[in-house]
């Protein structure tokens, strides 16, 4: 069992007050708070090891390069990727998916080709494919928010070029069986990309066991800094597709007549990378692994169970997404209260939730709602905070 009070001491922001009330932070699906060790790592790097990497012969540059590449190895181990050359640093999940959409489309697709997605995708796994002129075919969901995988084989055509699915829905909390989906995709000769933004902070990810071809996630969703993300890609695909951007670092030789490209992973990392952010991400991953992802998952599962029971007792409560396999996200509506109004009232009580369509408008249209209120849990949240949320909702009800 986790010592939550001890863990909360690692997050100074949790001690602050909002409108003279203790902060209750339930917006973790949008971004997590940062432990002291991550912030201290950033400060120490800027004060002690700040030099551009890879191209310098002086001591600081060599030291910064070693730290950056050590961070890449930390990410490799975290995902159980075969090689650190398959770990590409990006600005986040969105850029990672755009990288694949752009480069894979140039090498392997034509306008009008098809990408299979799910009905629960974030806009970041919809719009990039549309920008490339691709047609989307959608795996449906049932009334609980579970994928209808029986429909998946029938979605493949002779123009299907990729399957791109979320590992865990940021709205429904549904955890999708990506290994099973990968098997179906590969049986049809199609690679799979997984949006892991919501999953990585809540469960262990093994890209080899799942046999996915691409896996993307963001640092800030797993207690690391913003502006830093990761794309894992199988070397066979990363070697095959062209660079995403041009500039320094991604080149081998440049002339006015021709440019040849660097080896993996640098082929996809044009310009000066965020070598401070990479080391801070590695620190965040080390922090999570010291606590233990299994222990975190157990704690968050109990929080979700308790919150579902506590909030479910509130008259007019309607949960959006009740899949059997579900992560620590609770989307809901309460009677006729607009989610925005509920969010504003809770904010005045010091409780931070997310309201709106959560960058998933197609899912909202399918559900027949404009948006939802969403509480999302992290390793530092408590049942006492869930009680505060429930009491805040009950207080809001009295105002309508």
């Amino acid at each position: 069992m986790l010592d939550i009070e001890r863990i909360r001491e690692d997050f100074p922001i949790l001690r602050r007050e909002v409108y003279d009330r203790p902060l209750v932070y339930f917006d973790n699906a949008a971004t997590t708070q940062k432990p002291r060790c991550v912030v201290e790592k950033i400060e120490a790097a800027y004060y002690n090891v700040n030099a551009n990497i890879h191209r310098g012969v002086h001591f600081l540059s060599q030291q910064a390069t070693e730290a950056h590449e050590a961070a890449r190895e930390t990410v490799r181990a975290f995902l159980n990727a075969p090689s650190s050359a398959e770990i590409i640093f990006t600005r986040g999940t969105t850029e990672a998916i755009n990288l694949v959409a752009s480069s894979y489309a140039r090498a392997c697709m034509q306008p009008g080709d098809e990408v299979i997605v799910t009905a629960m995708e974030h806009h970041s796994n919809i719009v990039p494919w549309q920008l490339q002129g691709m047609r989307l075919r959608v795996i449906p969901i049932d009334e609980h928010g579970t994928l209808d995988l029986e429909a998946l084989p029938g979605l493949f055509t002779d123009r299907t070029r990729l399957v791109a699915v979320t590992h865990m829905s940021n709205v429904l909390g549904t955890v999708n069986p990506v290994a099973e989906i990968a098997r179906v995709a590969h049986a049809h000769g199609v690679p799979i990309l997984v949006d892991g933004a919501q999953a990585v902070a809540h469960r262990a990810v093994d890209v080899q066991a799942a046999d996915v071809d691409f896996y993307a996630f963001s640092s800030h969703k797993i207690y690391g800094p913003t502006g830093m993300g990761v794309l894992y890609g199988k070397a066979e695909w990363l070697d095959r597709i062209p660079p995403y951007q041009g500039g320094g670092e991604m080149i081998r030789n440049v002339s006015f007549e021709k440019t040849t490209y660097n080896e993996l992973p640098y082929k996809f990392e044009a310009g000066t990378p965020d070598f401070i952010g990479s080391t801070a991400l590695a620190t965040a991953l080390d922090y999570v692994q010291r606590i233990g992802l299994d222990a975190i998952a157990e704690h968050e599962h109990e929080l979700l169970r308790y919150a579902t029971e506590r909030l479910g007792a509130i008259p007019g409560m309607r949960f959006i997404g009740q899949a059997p396999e579900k992560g620590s996200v609770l989307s809901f509506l309460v009677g006729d209260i607009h989610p925005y109004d509920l969010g504003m009232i809770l904010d005045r009580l010091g409780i931070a939730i997310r309201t709106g369509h959560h960058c998933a408008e197609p899912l909202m249209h399918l559900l027949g709602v404009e948006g939802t209120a969403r509480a999302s849990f992290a390793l530092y949240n408590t049942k006492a905070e869930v009680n505060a949320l429930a009491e805040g909702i009950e207080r809001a009800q009295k105002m309508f």
Side-chain angles (χ1 to χ4, degrees):
M1 182 177 294
L2 298 184
D3 184 349
I4 302 302
E5 292 308 314
R6 172 64 190 86
I7 289 172
R8 287 176 66 86
E9 292 176 2
D10 294 335
F11 295 83
I13 197 170
L14 299 179
R15 295 198 294 270
R16 73 162 297 179
E17 293 186 344
V18 175
Y19 301 118
D20 297 320
R21 294 176 179 271
L23 170 64
V24 175
Y25 186 79
F26 282 149
D27 197 20
N28 296 287
T31 196
T32 54
Q33 298 302 335
K34 317 309 172 194
R36 188 185 305 275
C37 61
V38 168
V39 178
E40 289 176 346
K41 183 68 174 182
I42 294 170
E43 181 184 58
Y46 273 121
Y47 287 162
N48 298 289
V49 202
N50 183 34
N52 211 328
I53 62 173
H54 292 145
R55 297 180 293 276
V57 297
H58 60 83
F59 178 81
L60 281 184
S61 179
Q62 294 293 312
Q63 195 173 35
T65 298
E66 290 173 4
H68 182 68
E69 295 305 326
R72 196 188 306 274
E73 172 57 24
T74 297
V75 175
R76 182 211 65 76
F78 183 78
L79 295 177
N80 192 32
S83 169
S84 60
E86 297 174 311
I87 302 299
I88 312 298
F89 286 125
T90 68
R91 290 181 299 159
T93 306
T94 298
E95 184 176 56
I97 296 174
N98 274 274
L99 185 160
V100 177
S102 175
S103 295
Y104 184 83
R106 279 188 286 155
C108 305
M109 307 178 84
Q110 297 294 327
D113 280 345
E114 296 170 354
V115 176
I116 295 175
V117 299
T118 76
M120 61 184 78
E121 296 305 323
H122 190 282
H123 295 165
S124 292
N125 202 24
I126 296 173
V127 179
W129 310 110
Q130 294 172 332
L131 287 173
Q132 300 300 324
M134 304 306 152
R135 181 180 176 219
L136 300 180
R137 294 176 66 83
V138 183
I139 309 171
I141 59 174
D142 66 17
E143 66 274 16
H144 303 295
T146 301
L147 283 182
D148 179 6
L149 289 183
E150 291 185 0
L152 175 56
L155 295 175
F156 289 87
T157 73
D158 59 0
R159 299 207 68 175
T160 305
R161 298 292 178 265
L162 189 78
V163 174
V165 300
T166 183
H167 196 166
M168 174 179 156
S169 169
N170 71 313
V171 176
L172 306 171
T174 304
V175 178
N176 290 319
V178 294
E180 182 179 350
I181 298 170
R183 284 194 296 271
V184 176
H186 293 155
H188 287 82
V190 173
I192 178 173
L193 175 145
V194 177
D195 171 358
Q198 293 299 326
V200 290
H202 308 291
R203 60 187 53 237
V205 174
D206 187 329
V207 294
Q208 292 190 77
D211 196 23
V212 298
D213 300 282
F214 301 99
Y215 196 97
F217 75 92
S218 297
S219 165
H220 73 101
K221 305 284 191 180
I222 187 168
Y223 312 104
T226 57
M228 168 58 59
V230 169
L231 173 67
Y232 157 77
K234 288 182 178 178
E236 62 188 274
W237 286 112
L238 295 177
D239 281 331
R240 182 175 173 183
I241 63 179
Y244 177 48
Q245 295 177 319
E249 190 62 40
M250 52 74 64
I251 57 90
R252 186 179 300 277
N253 298 107
V254 176
S255 72
F256 288 115
E257 292 73 34
K258 181 182 179 181
T259 294
T260 57
Y261 307 131
N262 207 343
E263 63 185 3
L264 296 177
Y266 313 112
K267 169 184 171 183
F268 293 99
E269 295 181 350
T272 298
D274 186 357
F275 54 88
I276 303 294
S278 64
T279 58
L281 167 59
T283 300
L285 298 183
D286 287 341
Y287 177 82
V288 166
Q289 290 179 304
R290 282 197 303 273
I291 295 171
L293 277 162
D294 289 343
I296 292 170
E298 181 180 358
H299 168 70
E300 291 175 346
H301 179 76
E302 174 58 20
L303 267 184
L304 179 64
R305 184 206 62 77
Y306 182 76
T308 302
E309 179 181 295
R310 180 69 176 85
L311 271 61
I314 297 174
M317 176 62 65
R318 174 189 170 193
F319 292 123
I320 307 297
Q322 293 181 293
E325 188 68 20
K326 181 177 166 70
S328 56
V329 170
L330 202 58
S331 287
F332 57 92
L333 297 169
V334 184
D336 294 327
I337 305 175
H338 194 283
Y340 180 82
D341 293 332
L342 180 61
M344 290 292 290
I345 293 168
L346 292 173
D347 176 56
R348 299 298 298 190
L349 300 175
I351 303 168
I353 65 167
R354 181 69 45 165
T355 64
H357 57 62
H358 314 298
C359 294
E361 286 191 73
L363 175 59
M364 296 297 155
H365 296 158
L366 180 65
L367 296 171
V369 299
E370 292 183 3
T372 73
R374 184 187 71 191
S376 48
F377 310 122
L379 60 87
Y380 40 64
N381 289 128
T382 68
K383 288 182 179 179
E385 291 180 318
V386 171
N387 290 335
L389 172 62
E391 291 163 6
I393 294 170
E394 291 166 340
R395 180 170 175 175
Q397 280 186 309
K398 296 176 182 177
M399 302 173 65
F400 290 88

